[in-house]
Amino acid sequence: MIGLLRRYPLPVIVLAQLFGTSLWFSINGVWLSLAGELGLAESDLGRLTLSVQAGFIVGTLALAVTRLADRFGASRIFLVSSILGALANAGFVLVAGAFPVDSLLRFGTGLCLAGIYPLGMKLVIAWTPKYAGAALAWLVGMLTLGTALPHLMRGATSGLPWEWPLLAASVLALAGGLLVFMLGDGPHLPKANGGLPITQGLAALRIPRFRAVAGGYFGHMWELYAFWTLVPLLIGRELQRLGQDEALLPWLSFAVIGIGAAGCIGGGRLSRTLGSEWVARRALMISGGLCLIYPWMNNLPPELLIALLLVWGITVIADSPQFSALAAATAPKETVGSSLAVMNAVGFGLTLPAIWLTSGLWSAWGIWVALLLLPGPVFGWLSLGRGKAPA
């Protein structure tokens, strides 16, 4: 069994990433049923989503500062994180609606995700260093599918209690951790650099081109997770206009978020001939245009707006692996890992106010909250245009 896994390390890591990141938006996938049963509001959805994001940020920074990822095997950290994340996610079932315990468990889930997503990147480099660029597109694609997976599980368990999809996500996370543990750390683990990683990462910001790429990524992140949080609410609005019940909501939510995996993989293919910056700029332009025009189209047929959400789902994430590739090519070779860690931490930090604003204002603004996402793509596009790409 282990020999078979090691013959195909990339598919194993990609599958484990898909399973592990299903914990990320597990609450969002069952939100309407959960909120209806417990009397929760959209602001509670924002609160719980923010808790996961905050936990992930703290977790990634803790891994960087303590160098735990260098002191212990990546596969072991992935396994432990998967187990603890599965337990925290399952524990939410017992305390849902009981503030602040429910938020603390979602924060704990985010902490554990810091040992799943970034460590998945490290495992890709350890097993397939020659194909790291193409593999990264697949990895981000699986993060996207993992984010959408709770909606699919909710659709598949329609009519059953909302607890079932949450528990299923925990089971998947456990399976992903075991797959990676059996696979092992890989023969090409990068060596750690001396010094404090945060200091090393900040040093890269002295490079104008890295600042430009990082700025593009920051704008992208302002839009991305806020959009993913809004997807069930936006689709629910269109289903109400169509006179449909909620049965289609999880399936369409899965489609809108999950189709982003095709955007990542397709963008990766285009980047081979047109370059990563070309892909990133076009993705920002299209998703930014949708931020602007979508609210003004609120009276158009619901079918058209759902189709636009599918386009938005493709473009909102297609640039993500390209920003990582651009940053890795621009940062000093000896501090690539630290530079990416700092860039990711700041980027995820920006998701907090974006999610807080959009979820908090949904009840009052409705579809018009999409305009609050627009500054992200605009800033990202302008920032990416600064400086010159490396030769």
Side-chain angles (χ1 to χ4, degrees):
M1 178 65 175
I2 294 177
L4 179 62
L5 293 178
R6 291 179 178 176
R7 285 179 60 189
Y8 306 99
L10 181 57
V12 173
I13 298 168
V14 163
L15 185 62
Q17 183 86 342
L18 169 64
F19 288 171
T21 52
S22 67
L23 299 175
W24 211 312
F25 271 43
S26 58
I27 302 303
N28 304 63
V30 300
W31 181 251
L32 285 185
S33 300
L34 172 62
E37 182 175 321
L38 300 180
L40 302 177
E42 285 80 7
S43 58
D44 293 301
L45 173 63
R47 168 176 63 83
L48 294 170
T49 306
L50 286 172
S51 298
V52 179
Q53 299 299 94
F56 181 81
I57 295 164
V58 172
T60 52
L61 289 175
L63 281 176
V65 171
T66 62
R67 287 194 179 278
L68 284 175
D70 294 320
R71 294 176 182 174
F72 301 97
S75 61
R76 293 185 180 183
I77 295 177
F78 196 105
L79 173 64
V80 172
S81 299
S82 297
I83 294 172
L84 294 178
L87 291 174
N89 184 68
F92 178 87
V93 171
L94 303 176
V95 300
F99 176 81
V101 182
D102 56 353
S103 289
L104 288 174
L105 281 176
R106 294 309 291 164
F107 180 86
T109 303
L111 278 175
C112 295
L113 284 164
I116 295 174
Y117 179 42
L119 271 294
M121 293 184 177
K122 183 172 183 177
L123 286 163
V124 164
I125 297 172
W127 278 101
T128 58
K130 294 182 179 179
Y131 310 104
L136 189 58
W138 279 94
L139 206 67
V140 177
M142 289 308 103
L143 165 66
T144 307
L145 273 182
T147 300
L149 196 57
H151 297 286
L152 177 64
M153 290 189 290
R154 183 54 182 164
T157 57
S158 179
L160 296 175
W162 56 264
E163 293 91 342
W164 285 45
L166 286 179
L167 295 175
S170 291
V171 172
L172 288 178
L174 289 173
L178 289 173
L179 281 173
V180 163
F181 183 71
M182 288 189 292
L183 178 66
D185 291 334
H188 306 287
L189 280 176
K191 295 181 179 180
N193 296 306
L196 186 63
I198 299 299
T199 304
Q200 294 176 351
L202 291 174
L205 292 173
R206 292 197 292 265
I207 302 172
R209 183 58 187 166
F210 184 86
R211 288 201 304 270
V213 171
Y217 175 75
F218 298 156
H220 152 76
M221 290 297 287
W222 174 272
E223 177 193 18
L224 177 61
Y225 278 86
F227 172 74
W228 281 348
T229 303
L230 289 176
V231 163
L233 303 177
L234 292 169
I235 291 177
R237 175 187 183 272
E238 303 314 318
L239 289 178
Q240 286 182 349
R241 293 175 63 208
L242 285 169
Q244 298 286 334
D245 59 25
E246 297 177 0
L248 287 175
L249 179 61
W251 298 103
L252 290 174
S253 297
F254 171 77
V256 169
I257 298 174
I259 201 172
C264 290
I265 297 167
R269 290 182 177 273
L270 287 174
S271 69
R272 295 178 182 179
T273 54
L274 300 172
S276 291
E277 182 172 347
W278 188 94
V279 173
R281 288 177 67 85
R282 268 62 183 181
L284 287 170
M285 287 172 61
I286 297 172
S287 65
L290 287 168
C291 293
L292 177 62
I293 68 172
Y294 192 87
W296 299 97
M297 304 175 74
N298 65 87
N299 290 322
L300 292 181
E303 297 89 347
L304 176 59
L305 290 182
I306 291 174
L308 285 176
L309 286 175
L310 287 168
V311 176
W312 202 345
I314 293 173
T315 57
V316 75
I317 187 65
D319 47 357
S320 190
Q322 306 311 318
F323 281 121
S324 295
L326 288 168
T330 307
K333 297 300 181 184
E334 64 275 11
T335 62
V336 168
S338 302
S339 301
L340 290 176
V342 170
M343 188 180 82
N344 289 337
V346 175
F348 274 92
L350 289 170
T351 67
L352 300 181
I355 292 172
W356 178 75
L357 281 172
T358 52
S359 60
L361 292 174
W362 172 262
S363 297
W365 289 25
I367 195 173
W368 292 94
V369 298
L371 290 175
L372 297 175
L373 306 183
L374 180 60
V378 171
F379 177 82
W381 189 83
L382 292 174
S383 177
L384 193 57
R386 296 201 307 265
K388 296 181 178 180

